Amino acid sequence: MVNKKFFAGLIIAIAACSILVLIVATALAVKKNNPHLLRQFQRFSLIVDNQSDYDLVSVEIGVMHSDANGNAVKSGAKYWHPEVIQSGQETVIKPQLTVHREGGIYLKFTDSGGKEMNKTVCSYTESASGYSIVTIMNDQIKVEEKCR
């Protein structure tokens, strides 16, 4: 006869393994469907997808805040990306930015045609964390904000 304690232990072990398999499978499915899930809790990063016909020859990322009148002003925290972002290239930039109070993050770039553009890439942050995805095209700039 099979010992009842052994049988109960075996059932508990099988149930625990089944639960563990379900947890791992769920985590993998979530990560596959949202590869940037954990990125929103890390320090700020910017994914730049240059779909324009021009290279981005100068790229600045910085912090802005509101002055007493509610106007957006740039603060001292800036990062200059040292590499050209070529046409058709996607790159991840992880600037070292510090936010001392509520603010936002901007992107300023100059393309190889000489056109200079400014765009808010994170309209509100208290900690410069999370990420934004910027898609630059010839006639428009799209921003998807996931910053905190």
Side-chain angles (χ1 to χ4, degrees):
M1 235 173 145
V2 178
N3 186 340
K4 288 183 181 181
K5 286 185 180 180
F6 173 77
F7 186 66
L10 184 62
I11 290 176
I12 290 172
I14 291 171
C17 288
S18 298
I19 291 171
L20 183 61
V21 166
L22 286 172
I23 290 171
V24 169
T26 301
L28 290 174
V30 167
K31 178 146 176 70
K32 182 179 179 184
N33 291 330
N34 189 355
H36 303 296
L37 179 67
L38 296 179
R39 184 175 269 168
Q40 62 189 328
F41 301 107
Q42 299 172 352
R43 72 180 167 88
F44 182 76
S45 63
L46 183 64
I47 301 168
V48 179
D49 184 7
N50 182 10
Q51 295 181 4
S52 75
D53 293 333
Y54 301 96
D55 296 343
L56 306 182
V57 296
S58 174
V59 177
E60 173 188 318
I61 302 166
V63 175
M64 60 186 179
H65 64 274
S66 296
D67 66 10
N69 296 326
N71 301 314
V73 293
K74 296 177 181 177
S75 72
K78 292 180 185 174
Y79 171 84
W80 285 272
H81 187 62
E83 301 169 8
V84 170
I85 301 174
Q86 297 179 354
S87 174
Q89 180 183 0
E90 180 177 294
T91 190
V92 178
I93 303 172
K94 296 181 178 182
Q96 297 283 339
L97 299 174
T98 303
V99 177
H100 295 290
R101 58 179 187 234
E102 298 171 346
I105 299 174
Y106 69 88
L107 167 69
K108 176 182 172 183
F109 66 87
T110 304
D111 67 24
S112 56
K115 184 168 76 171
E116 186 177 289
M117 296 290 296
N118 286 287
K119 188 72 174 176
T120 300
V121 295
C122 177
S123 56
Y124 180 82
T125 185
E126 294 178 1
S127 61
S129 61
Y131 68 97
S132 291
I133 301 171
V134 179
T135 305
I136 299 170
M137 296 166 273
N138 290 335
D139 57 346
Q140 66 176 330
I141 300 171
K142 286 202 245 180
V143 178
E144 179 184 343
E145 296 184 28
K146 298 289 184 179
C147 52
R148 303 172 78 68

